Amino acid sequence: MPELPEVERAVRALRSAVVGKTIAAITLFHPSLRRTNRPARVRALRGAKVQAVDRRGKHQLVVFEDGRVVHVHFRMTGDWHYDAADAPLPRFARAAIAFTDGSRVVLDDPRALSTISVHAAGDGPQLRLGPEPADVALTVNVFASALAKRRGPIKPVLLDQRMIAGLGNIYAAESLWRARISPRAIASQLSRTRVATLLSSIRRVIDAANGARYGEGSGGRFGVYDREGKPCRRCRTPVARILQAGRSTYYCPRCQAR
DNA sequence: GGTCGCCTGGTA
DNA sequence: TACCAGGCGACC
């Protein structure tokens, strides 16, 4: 599920579910999680009390009262599942956190690419992230000077989390479509006007995605994403798909001509 | 920058 | 049986 709006939703749900609770046990089921986590460090979280749940970009941070931090990233297909500690596990359970009140949070992830790591107090994960889309410090000037340093095509640049934290493949494509900018346009060559348009398009697309979930049904109505061969919603030209940096990019060859 | 690997499932 | 997948770090 995870693009920014989905992670934000997941964080809010997690926050209301676990803040103030004390860990009874953490269990890692998937080999890749066992490989990357030291058992003693995970076991030592027993008795730790959750103080806060924070989000930075698509990263989730569970902060404990003693300053330790559990860092979770859903990658492609992770999500939280809530149940009781004695309930049957969901099909793709990769990890579980049981609390002393009998409740449980399960990391449910068919593709098993999610990551979990445990950090000592004062030694949190080093996240190299740019500003959040909604950050008022992210001005057109700031965005333009960041883009000016990048000689490559704009679409892969937008996926770099150091540009804007949390922007993913879907909304990068949607933002460019909305701004009528070719995904192949060279980042450093965008005019200031186009940079301004792109920034406001990114914000509008993210805002719409944030709101769409409650509207149900209205969500998932993309302009170009996953619409190869289907008509552009603006000009009816068939949407094209190209590969950039190994990822699909959908765009309208007419609205977003170079 | 591009490409690959991590994992596993859904779909054509 | 192929290809594709909302991410990202390691590699050239």
Side-chain angles (χ1 to χ4, degrees):
Chain A
M1 289 249 154
E3 275 234 27
L4 234 200
E6 287 76 30
V7 176
E8 174 61 20
R9 175 195 57 78
V11 160
R12 285 186 195 177
L14 185 65
R15 185 179 293 137
S16 68
V18 307
V19 167
K21 290 186 182 177
T22 300
I23 288 188
I26 296 189
T27 316
L28 304 179
F29 303 116
H30 196 276
S32 68
L33 291 178
R34 292 182 188 249
R35 229 178 11 245
T36 52
N37 284 279
R38 316 199 44 172
R41 185 173 279 231
V42 174
R43 228 181 300 122
L45 280 166
R46 177 190 297 263
K49 189 171 174 185
V50 179
Q51 182 178 70
V53 177
D54 299 324
R55 179 187 63 75
R56 280 288 286 134
K58 284 172 282 198
H59 298 76
Q60 301 178 64
L61 303 171
V62 181
V63 183
F64 294 89
E65 286 189 348
D66 63 10
R68 280 182 288 179
V69 174
V70 170
H71 172 217
V72 178
H73 196 299
F74 282 162
R75 297 289 178 111
M76 303 281 257
T77 50
D79 201 2
W80 297 119
H81 170 91
Y82 301 91
D83 59 11
D86 57 358
L89 285 165
R91 181 171 170 204
F92 302 115
R94 306 306 184 192
I97 308 173
F99 296 93
T100 53
D101 69 348
S103 66
R104 183 174 66 181
V105 177
V106 180
L107 174 61
D108 194 20
D109 180 4
R111 236 174 127 180
L113 293 172
S114 290
T115 58
I116 295 180
S117 56
V118 183
H119 301 262
D123 187 29
Q126 299 302 307
L127 309 176
R128 299 179 59 197
L129 298 173
E132 299 281 333
D135 190 337
V136 292
L138 178 59
T139 61
V140 174
N141 279 342
V142 166
F143 193 37
S145 54
L147 290 175
K149 296 173 190 146
R150 307 294 292 262
R151 304 297 181 81
I154 182 65
K155 158 66 164 37
V157 168
L158 288 179
L159 293 182
D160 184 336
Q161 300 296 293
R162 292 171 298 185
M163 296 298 306
I164 295 182
L167 195 61
N169 200 43
I170 294 176
Y171 298 129
E174 291 295 307
S175 299
L176 288 167
W177 176 75
R178 189 171 272 272
R180 304 184 190 230
I181 295 171
S182 166
R184 296 198 246 230
I186 301 305
S188 59
Q189 294 175 2
L190 291 173
S191 70
R192 191 194 159 75
T193 304
R194 308 204 103 192
V195 170
T197 304
L198 178 55
L199 181 56
S200 63
S201 296
I202 289 168
R203 287 180 161 146
R204 201 169 292 275
V205 164
I206 296 283
D207 283 351
N210 271 324
R213 279 191 327 279
Y214 299 108
E216 248 191 82
S218 61
R221 193 174 165 78
F222 300 123
V224 283
Y225 181 78
D226 203 22
R227 289 178 53 77
E228 183 180 15
K230 295 179 182 159
C232 165
R233 294 200 194 277
R234 258 195 316 253
C235 76
R236 317 310 292 172
T237 299
V239 169
R241 180 172 78 93
I242 59 173
L243 227 48
Q244 292 182 296
R247 318 276 322 266
S248 281
T249 297
Y250 298 88
Y251 71 105
C252 172
R254 180 152 162 219
C255 294
Q256 298 170 263
R258 295 202 58 173

